[in-house]
Amino acid sequence: MKNSDIAQVFAQVATLLEIRGDNIHRVLSYKRAAENLGEYPEELTKLSAAGELTSIPGIGKALAEKIQELIDSGRLTYLDNLAEEIPLSILELLKIEGMGPKRVKLVYQELGVKSLDELDEAAKDGSLATLPKMGQKSVDKIIAGIQALKSFGTDRVKLGEALPLAEEILEKLQKLPAVTNASIAGSVRRRKETIGDIDLLVATDDPEAVMSTFTTLGPEFEVALNGPTKSRIVKKGLGIDLRVLPAENWGTLISYFTGSQAHNVRLRERAKAMGLSLNEYAFSKIDSDEKILCPTEEDVYRVLELAWVPPELREDKGEIEAAENDSLPQLITLDDIRGDLHMHTTWSDGSHTVLEMAQAAIALGREYICITDHSYSLGIANGLNEERILAQHSDIQQVRDQLGDQIHILHGTEMEVRNDGRLDFEDDLLESLDFVIAAVHTGLSQPRQQVTDRMLGAIENPHVDMIAHPTGRLIGRRTGGDFDMSAIIEAAARTGTILEINAHPSRLDLKDTYVRMALEHGVKLAINTDAHHVDQQKLMHFGVSTGRRGWAEPKNIVNSWAYDDLIQSITM
Ligand code: DGT
Ligand code: CA
Ligand code: CA
């Protein structure tokens, strides 16, 4: 049994408990356990054999016994008992926008709905609309949500899933002796937020050896196509293409298969205007048979008299013109990032203490972090009230004293913007904090004007420094609030409020296109991990990629600034 399988069982328990309306602390302890187990770097089966399961953060004796039962028998009696009360199949209903735990429970109890298809039916035959607090608008939203899930959920996967798999396979191919070049291409190289299929490229003089390794990676991969220069394997519905050419073709090969298609069309047009044709093998002179080989990608752009274009920009959104005028942006890089302004600890729903989060940040080379636990009206996350915020202050001070000048630790909050637009804390308290984040987590399905006004209210508050994950979307799951983004961007620019690029691969919010829009209006941005676990601090690069796709430079990203400059900017 894999760690992720065990984690999934615990996540199911947490969700079933939540639907049942169980004690919040119990729900959270299973959620935390699921997170810790899924991300645990060593195999749990090995740990259990050594009797060391309780050394994992968040795993006490009772949970360790449950893990043991799973490893020994492949089942968990506790989950089986819960599933007798509430069928497991209804968990998929939670993936639909507008379906929270309470509604899922209601449709099951009142209508006997326990699958997507049954919910679809109930929505369309009118029975769903008979439930309390369920107007026709909600019903329509649910129908749309089911449709979105059906198309979105099966077609494309998140970059956060595709990139690690692509890197894992690439590493195996790179190790082969005859491989001179190997790279990820396609939308993964461009770091699009969702991926249709993975594209891998290899330059070698021994294609057979490469293909044979690629088509025998393991039983989880189905071989869909096995050719001399092109093969395709499939893992759980996700396709992985591999193309192999000799090293002399590498530049044109990687340029061609990185795309995007729109960018390639522009490159070919430009080639044509210069009397050339361009494909994955080479440039060819149109009036003769002469070929121009490009061993590197830089060569391709040089032939076209263009500056090399970073893959994240290759969408035909002005990058060709910029490459022509030598005015491409100096994009933000992971190395530019100095701090992380949004993270959680065990004070609310995080898995690690302030000290552990700070130490992990130091290990990643961060110069500053901000501890931003949830505020009290987000009960599900064990949010802090005023009293606990004050208590947290001494905790943070202690860690500052202990770590000295290794890192700056700011004390902040991720404060709820409540459904009626009021904020969780009074101005006095906000004034006393180093950094104030406001966030909309609930009521995201409110009408456009209402949900936008709530956000604008937070932006206009002089104590609010930043808006977290501004649209509230979860990729592939819910589209986020129906915000008037122009109004929000205008207000953020005018008030100097920072908008976040949340680096979690399920969020990437602001998304690339809004990043670009915000920058065009002079909005300051921050790229934060929103880590609930020490390991999640490593997800920063996904946010950086999103920033790059939105043409962000270091000057636009406040947490790439020196500490003193950041402090000056937020206390202004
Ligand atoms: P995806 O897989 O939907 O996330 O997006 P891409 O960009 O990875 O698209 P994919 O896998 O169809 O092709 C990889 C790149 O190869 C694409 O960006 C441009 C290039 N390419 C080569 N031949 C074709 C073609 O016939 N059609 C398209 N659409 N792209 C092609
Ligand atoms: Ca692809
Ligand atoms: Ca492909």
Side-chain angles (χ1 to χ4, degrees):
M1 204 170 222
K2 286 196 304 188
N3 290 10
S4 55
D5 298 328
I6 297 171
Q8 199 189 354
V9 171
F10 278 66
Q12 287 175 336
V13 169
T15 312
L16 286 183
L17 289 173
E18 197 176 333
I19 290 171
R20 191 165 77 164
D22 217 289
N23 178 294
I24 176 67
H25 293 288
R26 183 171 305 144
V27 173
L28 279 176
S29 75
Y30 277 99
K31 271 196 184 167
R32 245 178 230 161
E35 215 159 78
N36 289 339
L37 296 175
E39 289 170 345
Y40 202 74
E42 286 155 51
E43 275 174 53
L44 295 171
T45 43
K46 282 190 191 148
L47 233 67
S48 93
E52 290 172 355
L53 285 171
T54 49
S55 67
I56 304 170
I59 303 297
K61 196 162 159 279
L63 289 179
E65 275 169 18
K66 291 197 168 66
I67 298 170
Q68 195 63 53
E69 184 193 345
L70 263 170
I71 289 172
D72 292 341
S73 70
R75 303 208 61 84
L76 185 61
T77 322
Y78 187 54
L79 177 65
D80 292 347
N81 291 343
L82 282 171
E84 262 183 50
E85 197 181 316
I86 310 163
L88 273 176
S89 62
I90 70 172
L91 295 182
E92 69 174 345
L93 302 184
L94 283 169
K95 294 184 184 156
I96 301 160
E97 191 179 9
M99 292 295 295
K102 285 196 185 122
R103 271 199 176 156
V104 168
K105 184 180 183 183
L106 198 66
V107 297
Y108 172 62
Q109 283 184 337
E110 299 300 319
L111 307 171
V113 165
K114 44 189 187 315
S115 71
L116 275 187
D117 287 338
E118 285 171 8
L119 183 64
D120 203 20
E121 212 176 305
K124 286 172 180 161
D125 71 17
S127 49
L128 191 58
T130 63
L131 296 180
K133 292 190 189 166
M134 187 71 84
Q136 191 54 44
K137 256 192 166 161
S138 311
V139 173
D140 290 344
K141 222 170 185 170
I142 288 170
I143 294 174
I146 295 170
Q147 233 158 17
L149 181 66
K150 280 186 171 166
S151 55
F152 210 6
T154 55
D155 276 341
R156 302 183 68 81
V157 305
K158 285 179 274 193
L159 178 65
E161 290 163 38
L163 181 61
L165 178 63
E167 285 174 340
E168 187 189 317
I169 299 173
L170 186 72
E171 203 176 312
K172 289 185 181 147
L173 299 177
Q174 263 165 340
K175 282 197 184 126
L176 297 173
V179 169
T180 46
N181 273 317
S183 176
I184 295 169
S187 50
V188 180
R189 182 164 184 238
R190 304 198 311 280
R191 299 292 193 266
K192 271 191 74 150
E193 63 191 34
T194 64
I195 303 300
D197 69 2
I198 294 174
D199 302 279
L200 300 175
L201 306 173
V202 162
T204 183
D205 294 327
D206 187 3
E208 255 172 63
V210 175
M211 285 306 180
S212 122
T213 299
F214 183 66
T215 51
T216 56
L217 285 171
E220 67 270 39
F221 298 97
E222 212 181 296
V223 178
L225 177 78
N226 190 352
T229 62
K230 180 179 168 176
S231 294
R232 181 178 178 85
I233 58 177
V234 179
K235 179 181 179 182
K236 285 190 195 151
L238 175 61
I240 304 143
D241 286 337
L242 172 65
R243 286 179 177 81
V244 175
L245 283 185
E248 61 178 19
N249 306 109
W250 179 253
T252 40
L253 177 72
I254 189 169
S255 159
Y256 186 88
F257 286 109
T258 296
S260 65
Q261 200 184 5
H263 179 85
N264 288 358
V265 166
R266 293 292 306 275
L267 295 187
R268 283 201 293 271
E269 279 173 6
R270 194 173 168 88
K272 201 169 167 195
M274 299 169 83
L276 299 169
S277 70
L278 169 61
N279 62 20
E280 63 265 52
Y281 299 97
F283 285 100
S284 308
K285 295 202 172 150
I286 291 171
D287 53 12
S288 70
D289 269 353
E290 196 185 327
K291 297 223 180 303
I292 307 170
L293 291 175
C294 295
T296 73
E297 199 177 54
E298 282 78 4
D299 294 334
V300 175
Y301 286 94
R302 200 173 302 129
V303 169
L304 293 169
E305 293 169 16
L306 293 172
W308 178 83
V309 178
E312 295 91 337
L313 300 187
R314 299 185 195 173
E315 302 289 349
D316 189 23
K317 291 186 174 170
E319 75 278 10
I320 305 272
E321 291 73 9
E324 196 171 43
N325 309 329
D326 216 9
S327 61
L328 283 165
Q330 292 303 310
L331 295 179
I332 182 88
T333 67
L334 184 58
D335 280 345
D336 294 324
I337 298 295
R338 294 172 186 246
D340 190 343
L341 298 174
H342 183 177
M343 64 179 66
H344 298 269
T345 71
T346 46
W347 280 92
S348 64
D349 59 350
S351 299
H352 293 96
T353 62
V354 174
L355 177 63
E356 288 164 336
M357 291 303 270
Q359 284 168 330
I362 293 168
L364 289 173
R366 309 268 189 262
E367 296 168 27
Y368 49 87
I369 55 170
C370 186
I371 302 295
T372 54
D373 279 301
H374 292 286
S375 65
Y376 65 94
S377 72
L378 200 61
I380 184 73
N382 191 23
L384 277 63
N385 58 15
E386 198 165 330
E387 196 181 327
R388 289 181 67 219
I389 278 264
L390 295 175
Q392 188 184 34
H393 196 74
S394 10
D395 183 23
I396 291 178
Q397 190 53 48
Q398 226 167 14
V399 178
R400 283 178 185 145
D401 294 342
Q402 184 177 341
L403 296 177
D405 57 10
Q406 296 180 68
I407 192 163
H408 298 282
I409 307 173
L410 300 175
H411 186 194
T413 175
E414 182 180 15
M415 173 179 57
E416 285 307 293
V417 180
R418 294 187 227 166
N419 284 355
D420 61 6
R422 283 182 304 156
L423 303 175
D424 256 3
F425 294 129
E426 300 291 335
D427 285 354
D428 283 355
L429 180 75
L430 295 182
E431 175 97 63
S432 76
L433 291 166
D434 299 321
F435 189 69
V436 174
I437 304 178
V440 172
H441 288 105
T442 60
L444 277 167
S445 55
Q446 289 173 347
R448 186 175 177 86
Q449 190 68 50
Q450 191 181 356
V451 77
T452 301
D453 284 348
R454 270 166 82 200
M455 178 80 79
L456 291 176
I459 291 175
E460 299 288 349
N461 182 305
H463 298 293
V464 170
D465 296 300
M466 187 186 90
I467 303 295
H469 41 71
T471 75
R473 71 154 175 180
L474 291 174
I475 296 174
R477 245 185 84 180
R478 66 175 196 220
T479 50
D482 184 18
F483 292 102
D484 176 346
M485 288 308 286
S486 331
I488 284 164
I489 284 169
E490 181 279 319
R494 179 168 41 75
T495 58
T497 308
I498 301 162
L499 297 183
E500 178 176 69
I501 301 174
N502 190 291
H504 195 284
S506 295
R507 290 196 183 269
L508 300 180
D509 179 13
L510 295 175
K511 63 188 276 168
D512 47 15
T513 47
Y514 287 146
V515 170
R516 187 120 182 239
M517 199 166 135
L519 294 182
E520 277 160 8
H521 289 79
V523 174
K524 290 185 286 187
L525 303 176
I527 305 175
N528 303 313
T529 63
D530 192 359
H532 285 66
H533 186 289
V534 286
D535 288 340
Q536 289 177 352
Q537 291 188 36
K538 295 180 194 150
L539 299 177
M540 183 66 86
H541 66 97
F542 287 108
V544 171
S545 297
T546 297
R548 290 169 65 86
R549 287 183 57 85
W551 293 52
E553 306 190 30
K555 64 168 191 259
N556 310 121
I557 306 295
V558 299
N559 56 314
S560 73
W561 300 355
Y563 177 71
D564 290 342
D565 296 338
L566 171 79
I567 294 301
Q568 197 179 17
S569 143
I570 59 182
T571 47
M572 257 184 350

